[in-house]
Amino acid sequence: MSNIKNALKAAKAALDAHQYDLAIENATKVLTEDPKHYHANVFLGLALEKRGRNEESEKAYKSAASTKPTDPLAWQGLISLYEQQGGRKLGDYHDSVSHLAALFIEVDDKTRCQTVVDKYTGFARKCGSRAQYRHSLELLLPGSDLYDYLEGRIPHPSHTYTRISEVVEQDEKEKINLEIGQRRTRLGAKIDQVTAEVKKEILQGSILESHYQHVIDWTDDDTTRRLYEEKLLQHAYDTLLVLPQAQKNSKREEVVRLAQGIVILQHPFALAWKINLEWKDIEYLGELDVGVLREYVDLFPEEGLGKVLRGYLESEISVFPARAVDQDGTQNEEKGVLITTTEDRLVLMTDGLEDSSKSVLAHRIMSEYYLYLDEHESAAETARKAQRHVVTDSQTSGLPLANNTDAINVLLGNALVQYQAPRHHPEARSLFESILVRKPLNGSALIGIGLILEEQNELDRAVDFFERAMKQAPSTKIQAEAAWCRALDGDYPRGLEELEECLLTVEAPDLRTKALKAQILYRIGMCHWNMDHSKASRRDRNKAYTRFLSALQTDVNFAPPYTMLGIYYADYAKDRARARKCFQKAFELSSSEIVAAERLARSFAKTREWDLVEVIAQRVVESGRLRPAPGSKKKGISWPFAALGVVQLNKQEHAKSIVSFQSALRISPKEYYSWVGLGECYHNSGRYIAAAKAFEQAQKLERELGTEVLGDTWFSRYMLANVQRELGEYDAATIGYREILQVRTEEYGVSISSLQTSIESAWRNMDLGFFGRAIDNVQEALNIAKDVVTWSKNAFNLWKCISDLYSVYTHIQSYSTDFSTQDMKWLLEYDFDPEAYSHLADVDQITWSAFESVIESKDTDMVLRSSLYAAILAQKRALGCCARDPYAQAMAWYNLGWAEHRAHVCQRDGEVRSKEDSMRYLKAAVRCFKKAIELESRNAEFWNSLGVVTSQLNPKVAQHAFVRSLHLNEKNAKVWTNLGIFYLIEGDIQLANDSFARAQSVDPDYAQAWLGQGLLAAQLGESNESRTLFTHAFEISNASAIQIQQSYASSTLDYLLSSPTISDDAFTLLQPLLALRRLSKQASANISSEHIYALFQERNGSYADASKTLLSTCSTLEVDYEKTESAETLERFAQSKADLSRSQLAEQKFESAADNAETALALTEDTATSPMRARTRLSAHLSAGMAYYYQGAMDRAIDMFKNALEETPGDSDIVCLLSQVLWAKGGSQERSIAREQLFDCVERHPGHVSTILLLGVIAMLDDDRDTVEAVSDDLHSLRTRDDLNSQQNKQLAQLLHAISVLYPANEDRALTRMSEARTAVMLGPSEPYGWSQMANLSDETHPAEMAVLSAVAKAPPRGGSSVMDISDVYARTKRVEDSQKSIILAPWSSVGWQALSQL
């Protein structure tokens, strides 16, 4: 025991000396002997605390406290320990404070008890969280032992509850924001949904409202109480918003109770007042407490709802008694100045509505007030907003608010009945019917349906509804509506009687009653007007006229009487001025006065005041009274849409006019002129298919209605013809124009359109290659022009068309026989002024006298020159016809420029100009295009044209013109192509290539761009690439593209010459032949094209045509040589003679062939050496040799072939020809020479097929087995070569077959022949010859059938099988039908007949 005391004293001394380790040691010794020793545990806990061993210290203190719970020392130690650890052990701190305070209460030590509590709450506020601080404050709340003991020493409960409320409020806000921030990042999360979910979770379990209530219960400060009442209501309202509908009832009752309490106290908390007012489910505004309304206005004068309520309470429509005013007519100063004017009241209420955009009551009041002011559109818009807001309020509060909904629907229905009637009648009717389902006796709904039925002409039913409404609430207005329905139903006497009765009951002086009285007077007048339709009755001023005037005297702003007075003045009093004023006044007052609007629109249309017509029609359209409601018996009104369409058509607003005419036709599908207008709009906007359908529908109506109803209908036929013309249906368009001109012979527009159609048809036919049809179109156009010029000689379009029709002749020069100079001269000199043809005469030298001298000349190019002169003179005359129109004048200069350029081109191509005036037409064209640009500088086509004509004269100007044109329109492929050609001429290859590529990207179907690219490739030596490009350009071009056809034909000929294996391919020759044939029709003076055409004809086997073409070419070249004596022309003439000789040789005209060949040789005897001369002489020698051979002049033939060998030393083909001629001569010496020549040729050219074949034939004729064997070996080696054509393979097979027959390899000749046939089939399975040989040697049908299939497969254009080849293989099948086919294919051949006779 003494040891325990000594150790305890030592521990105490060590603690005093701050020797904590020693104290721990001594305290431990004591606890070793007595683990529950109180002071030892306290000393140990203190020492451990000082050494920072908090957990061990806490354990020691708690051990001591458990030993003596009533001793405060251990609890004080724990509190000190917890304080040192900050907020980590604040919960244990709270428990320790509670125990220690209880000990002080037991010993009645208030000072120490308060000190401990104050110290703890302060520490919790400083170091703890808000939740821990709130937990500490709960020690001070009423109901705890501490509060009862320390009351008066600690803060008042209101203060404590306030602090707790603030802490909880902050916690809730942070928790809500934190949860929203975390959840909103989830995939598919929506912020509104996330916010509602988070608030629902947190607010449902909130304790904040109870704390607010405690503050309200304990506080003595009214300001604080009001503040926390607001917070309590706001929190409860927020909670109500997020609760599901099933849980809203109890919470809503709480919210309503709180709001009601605030309203009773007249506390200015807006939410409480709005809940009290907005959540009242009332059918009529009179059910509201006027005192509450006025208190709200007084408390919230600047609130939106307050302004609306103030305006309503002081308005004419208020159901509440007016507030007492002072004697001076104003209210008390604090109540505000009384509003006396409707305008000021409306401004106030409108401002209030904007501020209270979600208030159902404000929108309901404003909708009712707008209805009172007849502002039906605003009333409908406001009621719709109220509908949305009442749904929101119902969802928020959980109340059905059925009465509010019905009241708003009644307001909306009443507004829709009047607003743009009858557009919204179906909607209004559905609203009224839904109300009547629940409330069958609702008077407003009954009246609304009655008005709708009245508008729909269901008058009996309308009267029934009005009578039902009268039973609920008798009214003069309803009675008057019922009487008017009876009158409209045809019972005018009864309607008049009842209206007179209603008039007697209308006496009140207010504005609405005046309007009703004016309406009744007007309707009485209408009854008088319709009861007697005679002019005398309607002229009688004591009947309807008087009533209309009385109606206006009652209400000068009532529109319908003005309309009727306008009709009276217009139709009966014949006073147009007064009538127009009346109509204007009526329409000014009401856009629903359709009759007045129509009369005004027609009068303004007659004076072409289209802006006023548009204003009137647009206002009528916006009134919404045109289209009847679905199910209505009334007819729609279409004329406003038609009027708008006409106005928009005049303004060239085609998209809008289409919509307008379509709207008119939806209302009146049989409105003829709307169909015509719609078709015209479609035509002007480029929608020609739709335009054609519209005009066809109009013509269908013409047939149904007849001209008696529609009047003159030629315009629709004229427009249909225009549409057909735009669609390229020129024949149909021409027929349409002719039909019109039979009735209206001098209709300028129709005549010009017919003339232009004929010319356009001519150009189209020319593009398609139908040149004869094009000339027919020109003749037709000429006849029309001769007629038009007699009665409209000064028309710009007429002379342009005349110029165009003569330009056609310059493009189709082969039809000169159809040209009439008399018609041309008559047209141009008809009533003309010589000055009209003097424009640019000093430059182009084209005057009337020059023209006369041309048409009187006998030159071969007279037709071409006179056509060019006529085209230019016509354009000059057109220029004089448009002197007052700068834009037309610019176009006239432009047209004249191209006419001059065409003259330059034709003159150059025909090579008929002289050197001194070679550029006169081009210079004239430059001046023309410059004039056009001066008048219209932003026209891209004008600049492009200037670039084209100045390319030869001034390259810098040309480049500037092209660039300027592209600046104005960079998406013009034609300009890019012209620029590329310009760069190509100037030698800039890269820029040319870039320009052509840009043109192709802008318009891939523009053939000239591909032509330019081909010319560029040809200049670079890329022949295959250029041919491909020329071919593509030809395939996408039209038949009038001369340069494309020339380039394509020339490149194809070069390709054929370089590839002899396909030279006889008919398909390859077909397109170039067609192109050159068209070209010969267009430009007959083009020598190069004619010569190429002849070469293609020769290759195609058309030798007679080739000879004819070459004769023409020779004649032209001869004439040209006589004029120029050019060496180049002479060389081309000699070449043409050589080619002509070859064609005549093929025609078997041997004498002519020999003469022409001799001529070609004579002409080239002394000329300079050139590749063309060598080819010409070689061709002439060969042709002459063959001609002499066939004439029997062997010696001369041999001489020609020898000369040919000298021209081309050692040529194998010529050696073969010479050998054949020598052998044919028959002498032994000649035949020996032939053998020697062939053997020498084989030595020089071992693989030459023709030489080997000739040696083989000669060897067989000579029965020279050694040579036959050698030739046979060579032939077998030749058969495996790939460069042999089908003809050569056939000749090889035939010779080998003959060798196998004459010199069989073994005794069985049949086997040898079959072996050769099989070899031929194996080497050429697609060739018919091998199969034919096998068919001859075999009794099987398969070889013959294969021979037929292969021969047919090789038929042109796929191959070279002739008709005889195909006929022969058909004859070998031993079938009747095939023999008949053989005869049909070649009836002159005996093979088919013999095969048929043997079957």
Side-chain angles (χ1 to χ4, degrees):
M1 189 65 180
S2 60
N3 291 334
I4 292 175
K5 289 183 178 181
N6 292 332
L8 191 63
K9 289 181 181 179
K12 178 68 171 66
L15 285 172
D16 294 339
H18 303 292
Q19 297 176 355
Y20 302 117
D21 293 335
L22 183 60
I24 291 170
E25 181 182 352
N26 290 318
T28 304
K29 291 179 181 179
V30 174
L31 292 174
T32 304
E33 296 183 6
D34 185 3
K36 294 185 177 181
H37 194 285
Y38 178 77
H39 288 93
N41 278 312
V42 171
F43 292 159
L44 178 61
L46 180 60
L48 290 170
E49 177 187 349
K50 295 300 184 181
R51 298 303 295 170
R53 297 162 65 180
N54 296 332
E55 292 183 0
E56 297 177 35
S57 174
E58 181 181 7
K59 183 177 180 181
Y61 280 136
K62 286 184 176 181
S63 178
S66 63
T67 303
K68 288 185 178 180
T70 58
D71 193 314
L73 185 61
W75 297 108
Q76 288 174 343
L78 282 171
I79 289 173
S80 174
L81 176 65
Y82 292 146
E83 285 180 352
Q84 290 181 8
Q85 297 183 50
R88 291 179 54 203
K89 293 289 185 176
L90 204 56
D92 295 329
Y93 191 175
H94 179 86
D95 295 337
S96 300
V97 169
S98 298
H99 284 90
L100 185 59
L103 293 177
F104 289 146
I105 291 173
E106 289 179 2
V107 299
D108 194 22
D109 191 344
K110 292 185 177 181
T111 301
R112 295 177 68 188
C113 180
Q114 180 183 357
T115 301
V116 169
V117 172
D118 290 345
K119 186 178 180 182
Y120 166 59
T121 55
F123 182 80
R125 182 175 185 179
K126 179 180 179 181
C127 299
S129 64
R130 280 196 290 268
Q132 291 171 332
Y133 176 54
R134 174 174 61 80
H135 191 44
S136 71
L137 291 176
E138 289 176 352
L139 292 173
L140 308 178
L141 293 176
S144 67
D145 294 338
L146 279 175
Y147 177 77
D148 295 336
Y149 182 69
L150 296 176
E151 186 176 8
R153 287 177 172 266
I154 58 177
H156 190 270
S158 63
H159 181 270
T160 305
Y161 278 121
T162 301
R163 299 286 80 77
I164 292 175
S165 299
E166 291 173 352
V167 170
V168 174
E169 190 176 330
Q170 284 185 322
D171 278 346
E172 277 192 6
K173 288 182 180 178
E174 286 188 2
K175 189 174 182 181
I176 289 172
N177 293 334
L178 179 62
E179 287 294 325
I180 291 174
Q182 290 177 349
R183 297 186 188 184
R184 70 182 299 179
T185 58
R186 295 175 182 173
L187 188 64
K190 297 181 180 179
I191 184 62
D192 295 339
Q193 184 178 357
V194 168
T195 302
E197 290 176 356
V198 170
K199 285 187 175 181
K200 176 185 174 183
E201 293 173 4
I202 295 176
L203 295 181
Q204 271 188 304
S206 175
I207 60 173
L208 189 57
E209 292 183 21
S210 64
H211 290 301
Y212 285 158
Q213 188 62 51
H214 287 309
V215 174
I216 294 169
D217 293 341
W218 283 97
T219 185
D220 296 329
D221 184 9
D222 287 342
T223 303
T224 304
R225 182 179 291 108
R226 298 290 88 79
L227 174 63
Y228 277 87
E229 285 176 349
E230 292 177 7
K231 289 188 175 185
L232 177 59
L233 176 59
Q234 185 67 56
H235 193 277
Y237 180 76
D238 292 341
T239 305
L240 179 65
L241 291 180
V242 298
L243 287 176
Q245 293 293 328
Q247 303 176 15
K248 283 184 179 289
N249 291 338
S250 59
K251 197 66 179 178
R252 182 185 64 251
E253 292 175 358
E254 179 186 350
V255 170
V256 171
R257 177 180 57 78
L258 292 172
Q260 185 67 29
I262 292 176
V263 170
I264 291 172
L265 294 174
Q266 298 186 6
H267 178 61
F269 181 50
L271 177 61
W273 289 85
K274 289 180 180 178
I275 290 173
N276 185 264
L277 293 174
E278 302 282 358
W279 288 8
K280 287 188 179 298
D281 191 18
I282 55 173
E283 187 172 359
Y284 304 105
L285 292 176
E287 299 177 26
L288 291 171
D289 187 345
V290 65
V292 173
L293 297 179
R294 286 182 174 143
E295 288 170 359
Y296 184 88
V297 172
D298 295 339
L299 289 173
F300 306 102
E302 298 303 321
E303 287 283 333
L305 181 58
K307 294 177 181 180
V308 173
L309 286 173
R310 182 188 174 192
Y312 170 72
L313 292 172
E314 296 176 6
S315 69
E316 307 89 334
I317 65 170
S318 174
V319 297
F320 304 109
R323 176 177 286 181
V325 297
D326 296 336
Q327 294 181 355
D328 58 356
T330 61
Q331 298 178 354
N332 296 330
E333 183 177 353
E334 66 274 8
K335 306 295 183 182
V337 179
L338 183 67
I339 300 174
T340 57
T341 64
T342 302
E343 290 78 9
D344 293 341
R345 185 178 301 109
L346 184 60
V347 170
L348 175 68
M349 296 176 74
T350 304
D351 291 342
L353 186 64
E354 291 178 359
D355 296 338
S356 57
S357 59
K358 296 183 179 180
S359 171
V360 175
L361 182 59
H363 284 82
R364 180 174 172 179
I365 291 172
M366 281 304 300
S367 180
E368 188 169 337
Y369 194 59
Y370 281 135
L371 275 179
Y372 169 75
L373 298 176
D374 291 333
E375 295 290 337
H376 303 110
E377 181 180 3
S378 300
E381 182 181 352
T382 308
R384 290 189 192 279
K385 292 180 180 178
Q387 275 185 324
R388 295 192 290 270
H389 296 325
V390 78
V391 172
T392 303
D393 283 356
S394 178
Q395 293 173 348
T396 300
S397 64
L399 292 168
L401 300 178
N403 290 329
N404 279 351
T405 302
D406 288 345
I408 292 169
N409 286 343
V410 166
L411 292 173
L412 177 59
N414 289 334
L416 295 178
V417 167
Q418 302 297 331
Y419 174 54
Q420 293 187 341
R423 176 184 296 178
H424 304 288
H425 281 185
E427 181 183 358
R429 186 168 183 173
S430 65
L431 291 173
F432 290 138
E433 288 175 347
S434 65
I435 295 171
L436 290 176
V437 170
R438 296 184 300 275
K439 302 173 182 177
L441 301 179
N442 188 291
S444 298
L446 291 170
I447 295 172
I449 292 181
L451 293 172
I452 293 172
L453 293 173
E454 178 184 336
E455 179 67 27
Q456 294 179 355
N457 273 351
E458 299 183 30
L459 301 172
D460 292 337
R461 296 183 62 195
V463 169
D464 178 60
F465 274 90
F466 287 138
E467 289 177 348
R468 288 166 59 186
M470 284 283 290
K471 292 178 181 179
Q472 302 304 316
S475 168
T476 302
K477 179 175 178 57
I478 302 174
Q479 183 181 356
E481 289 293 342
W484 180 238
C485 287
R486 291 189 178 94
L488 292 177
D489 199 23
D491 192 356
Y492 291 109
R494 183 179 176 183
L496 177 61
E497 180 182 354
E498 292 180 358
L499 287 170
E500 294 283 4
E501 292 176 1
C502 294
L503 183 63
L504 297 176
T505 62
V506 180
E507 296 179 356
D510 59 274
L511 293 177
R512 296 191 69 83
T513 308
K514 285 184 179 180
L516 176 60
K517 184 177 181 180
Q519 185 185 59
I520 294 173
L521 286 168
Y522 161 74
R523 290 176 173 178
I524 291 173
M526 289 301 299
C527 289
H528 285 296
W529 184 269
N530 292 318
M531 284 173 64
D532 188 354
H533 295 278
S534 64
K535 289 186 177 181
S537 175
R538 292 187 172 181
R539 285 177 181 171
D540 189 354
R541 289 176 176 260
N542 295 321
K543 291 184 178 180
Y545 177 81
T546 302
R547 297 296 185 174
F548 295 147
L549 285 180
S550 299
L552 291 179
Q553 291 170 359
T554 303
D555 185 359
V556 295
N557 294 323
F558 189 48
Y562 285 108
T563 300
M564 295 309 300
L565 286 174
I567 295 174
Y568 172 82
Y569 287 126
D571 297 346
Y572 300 100
K574 304 302 180 183
D575 190 341
R576 293 184 178 179
R578 283 189 178 183
R580 173 174 282 199
K581 290 180 180 179
C582 289
F583 290 138
Q584 288 176 340
K585 184 65 175 179
F587 189 65
E588 179 183 341
L589 292 172
S590 174
S591 60
S592 299
E593 291 303 306
I594 309 297
V595 176
E598 183 176 6
R599 297 264 187 154
L600 282 175
R602 290 185 182 278
S603 65
F604 288 134
K606 289 179 181 179
T607 57
R608 306 187 70 80
E609 299 177 68
W610 298 113
D611 291 339
L612 296 177
V613 174
E614 182 180 20
V615 170
I616 293 170
Q618 187 63 46
R619 191 178 174 203
V620 175
V621 169
E622 291 172 356
S623 71
R625 302 187 67 88
L626 303 182
R627 292 186 177 90
S632 175
K633 295 181 181 179
K634 292 188 70 174
K635 293 183 178 181
I637 301 171
S638 61
W639 70 261
F641 288 109
L644 276 178
V646 172
V647 173
Q648 291 157 352
L649 183 60
N650 286 330
K651 291 183 176 181
Q652 297 184 358
E653 297 174 351
H654 302 306
K656 292 181 179 179
S657 63
I658 288 172
V659 174
S660 298
F661 282 123
Q662 286 177 339
S663 300
L665 289 169
R666 290 190 189 101
I667 298 173
S668 301
K670 292 191 176 183
E671 177 58 41
Y672 169 78
Y673 291 103
S674 294
W675 282 110
V676 175
L678 178 63
E680 188 172 359
C681 295
Y682 280 137
H683 170 269
N684 293 344
S685 58
R687 299 167 62 179
Y688 301 118
I689 301 297
K693 293 181 179 179
F695 287 124
E696 288 171 359
Q697 184 64 30
Q699 292 191 342
K700 181 179 177 182
L701 290 174
E702 287 179 17
R703 293 189 293 271
E704 292 179 1
L705 301 177
T707 56
E708 296 80 5
V709 177
L710 300 176
D712 198 353
T713 58
W714 67 271
F715 184 73
S716 66
R717 286 177 287 164
Y718 167 66
M719 289 304 300
L720 178 58
N722 287 344
V723 171
Q724 291 167 337
R725 169 186 165 193
E726 295 292 346
L727 292 173
E729 300 174 3
Y730 297 114
D731 293 340
T734 301
I735 293 172
Y737 292 134
R738 286 176 182 172
E739 291 177 353
I740 299 171
L741 290 174
Q742 289 175 358
V743 180
R744 305 177 69 88
T745 55
E746 294 188 1
E747 188 65 46
Y748 172 74
V750 180
S751 299
I752 290 296
S753 297
S754 179
L755 178 59
Q756 291 172 338
T757 302
S758 297
I759 295 174
E760 289 174 10
S761 180
W763 288 113
R764 169 67 68 82
N765 285 322
M766 191 171 66
D767 289 342
L768 296 175
F770 301 139
F771 302 123
R773 296 182 186 178
I775 293 299
D776 293 340
N777 293 136
V778 169
Q779 291 296 331
E780 184 179 355
L782 184 60
N783 294 331
I784 298 172
K786 288 166 64 178
D787 175 62
V788 176
V789 76
T790 58
W791 47 269
S792 183
K793 65 180 186 299
N794 293 323
F796 166 76
N797 287 335
L798 170 64
W799 293 105
K800 180 187 179 302
C801 290
I802 293 174
S803 175
D804 290 342
L805 70 88
Y806 283 117
S807 295
V808 173
Y809 281 106
T810 68
H811 289 82
I812 313 175
Q813 300 172 16
S814 62
Y815 285 85
S816 58
T817 55
D818 298 324
F819 188 78
S820 173
T821 57
Q822 297 300 321
D823 290 340
M824 177 189 295
K825 184 177 181 181
W826 183 88
L827 269 175
L828 294 174
E829 71 178 356
Y830 184 86
D831 195 18
F832 82 107
D833 181 5
E835 292 297 323
Y837 298 138
S838 62
H839 298 287
L840 300 179
D842 57 330
V843 181
D844 61 10
Q845 300 176 14
I846 297 179
T847 59
W848 179 252
S849 58
F851 170 71
E852 287 183 322
S853 63
V854 168
I855 62 176
E856 291 173 0
S857 67
K858 302 299 182 181
D859 295 339
T860 56
D861 62 345
M862 183 273 294
V863 173
L864 175 61
R865 292 180 61 196
S866 59
S867 298
L868 293 170
Y869 277 39
I872 292 173
L873 291 176
Q875 292 291 2
K876 289 182 178 182
R877 190 158 180 179
L879 186 62
C881 295
C882 58
R884 298 181 181 180
D885 187 346
Y887 293 104
Q889 198 171 19
M891 187 55 65
W893 281 110
Y894 173 76
N895 295 334
L896 178 57
W898 279 118
E900 298 279 5
H901 181 263
R902 180 61 186 169
H904 172 75
V905 170
C906 291
Q907 191 179 33
R908 181 193 62 197
D909 288 347
E911 299 181 356
V912 294
R913 68 184 186 279
S914 59
K915 295 183 179 179
E916 60 272 11
D917 63 351
S918 60
M919 305 299 269
R920 57 183 174 131
Y921 298 127
L922 201 60
K923 292 178 180 178
V926 171
R927 291 184 59 177
C928 291
F929 291 134
K930 286 183 177 180
K931 286 279 189 179
I933 291 172
E934 289 175 3
L935 294 168
E936 191 177 348
S937 60
R938 297 192 63 80
N939 192 309
E941 290 296 331
F942 293 176
W943 286 101
N944 173 59
S945 304
L946 181 62
V948 171
V949 298
T950 55
S951 297
Q952 295 178 346
L953 299 174
N954 193 331
K956 292 183 178 180
V957 173
Q959 185 181 22
H960 170 75
F962 287 135
V963 172
R964 180 65 178 171
S965 178
L966 290 172
H967 173 71
L968 295 172
N969 181 14
E970 64 176 2
K971 293 185 178 181
N972 192 327
K974 179 170 63 176
V975 183
W976 282 109
T977 303
N978 291 338
L979 182 61
I981 294 295
F982 170 78
Y983 285 136
L984 185 61
I985 294 172
E986 296 299 317
D988 196 327
I989 303 301
Q990 184 60 45
L991 287 177
N993 184 64
D994 294 343
S995 299
F996 291 136
R998 185 64 181 272
Q1000 292 161 9
S1001 65
V1002 170
D1003 185 2
D1005 292 330
Y1006 187 60
Q1008 305 295 335
W1010 298 97
L1011 171 65
Q1013 196 85 28
L1015 294 174
L1016 177 61
Q1019 184 169 332
L1020 295 175
E1022 300 174 359
S1023 57
N1024 290 332
E1025 178 69 16
S1026 65
R1027 181 178 58 83
T1028 302
L1029 291 168
F1030 289 145
T1031 303
H1032 180 67
F1034 175 75
E1035 289 173 348
I1036 64 175
S1037 67
N1038 54 50
S1040 61
I1042 295 177
Q1043 185 60 47
I1044 293 177
Q1045 294 178 90
Q1046 288 177 336
S1047 300
Y1048 170 66
S1050 178
S1051 64
T1052 304
L1053 180 62
D1054 293 339
Y1055 172 64
L1056 293 175
L1057 293 175
S1058 64
S1059 305
T1061 57
I1062 62 168
S1063 296
D1064 296 330
D1065 188 351
F1067 183 73
T1068 307
L1069 299 175
L1070 181 61
Q1071 285 189 328
L1073 275 170
L1074 292 175
L1076 290 166
R1077 182 179 182 278
R1078 289 196 297 260
L1079 195 60
S1080 67
K1081 299 292 185 180
Q1082 293 177 262
S1084 57
N1086 192 313
I1087 305 303
S1088 299
S1089 299
E1090 281 190 2
H1091 200 160
I1092 295 173
Y1093 184 30
L1095 296 177
F1096 272 103
Q1097 288 173 326
E1098 180 186 2
R1099 281 181 170 269
N1100 193 47
S1102 302
Y1103 304 116
D1105 293 335
S1107 298
K1108 181 179 179 182
T1109 303
L1110 287 169
L1111 283 171
S1112 173
T1113 304
C1114 291
S1115 300
T1116 305
L1117 288 171
E1118 186 176 2
V1119 172
D1120 187 45
Y1121 180 74
E1122 290 175 355
K1123 292 181 178 180
T1124 61
E1125 296 184 357
S1126 167
E1128 179 183 356
T1129 304
L1130 180 61
E1131 188 174 19
R1132 292 176 66 182
F1133 177 72
Q1135 183 185 16
S1136 299
K1137 281 290 186 179
D1139 293 339
L1140 176 60
S1141 172
R1142 190 172 59 251
S1143 297
Q1144 289 174 335
L1145 178 65
E1147 288 187 274
Q1148 298 182 6
K1149 296 180 179 179
F1150 305 121
E1151 185 176 352
S1152 299
D1155 292 342
N1156 285 310
E1158 292 285 3
T1159 302
L1161 291 172
L1163 291 173
T1164 56
E1165 185 71 31
D1166 299 326
T1167 58
T1169 303
S1170 66
M1172 181 183 290
R1173 174 184 179 276
R1175 289 195 296 271
T1176 301
R1177 291 186 63 80
L1178 175 60
S1179 175
H1181 278 117
L1182 293 176
S1183 300
M1186 293 300 295
Y1188 287 135
Y1189 167 76
Y1190 284 113
Q1191 291 179 27
M1194 296 299 180
D1195 294 335
R1196 299 189 65 180
I1198 292 171
D1199 292 340
M1200 286 295 174
F1201 288 130
K1202 288 181 179 179
N1203 292 334
L1205 281 176
E1206 293 175 0
E1207 295 284 346
T1208 56
D1211 186 271
S1212 300
D1213 292 326
I1214 299 176
V1215 169
C1216 290
L1217 286 173
L1218 178 59
S1219 299
Q1220 287 174 306
V1221 174
L1222 289 171
W1223 187 271
K1225 189 173 181 182
S1228 59
Q1229 184 179 358
E1230 286 81 358
R1231 293 186 176 185
S1232 177
I1233 294 173
R1235 292 189 192 94
E1236 292 174 2
Q1237 290 287 338
L1238 289 173
F1239 279 119
D1240 291 341
C1241 183
V1242 168
E1243 290 178 2
R1244 292 194 304 271
H1245 305 287
H1248 191 257
V1249 179
S1250 298
T1251 306
I1252 296 173
L1253 288 172
L1254 280 175
L1255 278 174
V1257 172
I1258 291 173
M1260 291 173 64
L1261 293 174
D1262 291 341
D1263 195 17
D1264 186 351
R1265 286 182 175 272
D1266 295 335
T1267 304
V1268 168
E1269 290 179 0
V1271 169
S1272 179
D1273 293 339
D1274 289 341
L1275 291 176
H1276 280 99
S1277 64
L1278 287 175
R1279 297 181 78 176
T1280 60
R1281 282 170 47 177
D1282 295 331
D1283 58 341
L1284 302 183
N1285 56 36
S1286 59
Q1287 185 66 24
Q1288 290 173 328
N1289 282 320
K1290 182 178 179 180
Q1291 291 173 350
L1292 286 174
Q1294 288 174 334
L1295 184 56
L1296 285 170
H1297 178 71
I1299 292 174
S1300 67
V1301 173
L1302 297 176
Y1303 305 98
N1306 51 50
E1307 296 180 357
D1308 192 347
R1309 294 191 175 190
L1311 182 61
T1312 303
R1313 293 170 63 190
M1314 180 60 73
S1315 176
E1316 281 297 329
R1318 287 172 180 170
T1319 303
V1321 169
M1322 293 297 294
L1323 292 173
S1326 62
E1327 299 294 334
Y1329 182 74
W1331 293 105
S1332 298
Q1333 284 184 333
M1334 189 177 291
N1336 293 334
L1337 299 173
S1338 173
D1339 294 332
E1340 297 181 3
T1341 59
H1342 178 69
E1345 292 173 354
M1346 288 303 299
V1348 170
L1349 292 175
S1350 58
V1352 172
K1354 291 287 185 177
R1358 296 181 296 273
S1361 295
S1362 65
V1363 175
M1364 288 297 298
D1365 293 334
I1366 300 174
S1367 175
D1368 183 63
V1369 295
Y1370 269 120
R1372 298 180 188 277
T1373 61
K1374 300 179 181 179
R1375 290 200 296 239
V1376 175
E1377 58 272 21
D1378 288 342
S1379 298
Q1380 292 173 340
K1381 291 179 182 178
S1382 174
I1383 294 171
I1384 292 174
L1385 288 170
W1388 61 86
S1389 174
S1390 61
V1391 176
W1393 296 103
Q1394 290 176 358
L1396 183 61
S1397 66
Q1398 294 173 2
L1399 297 177

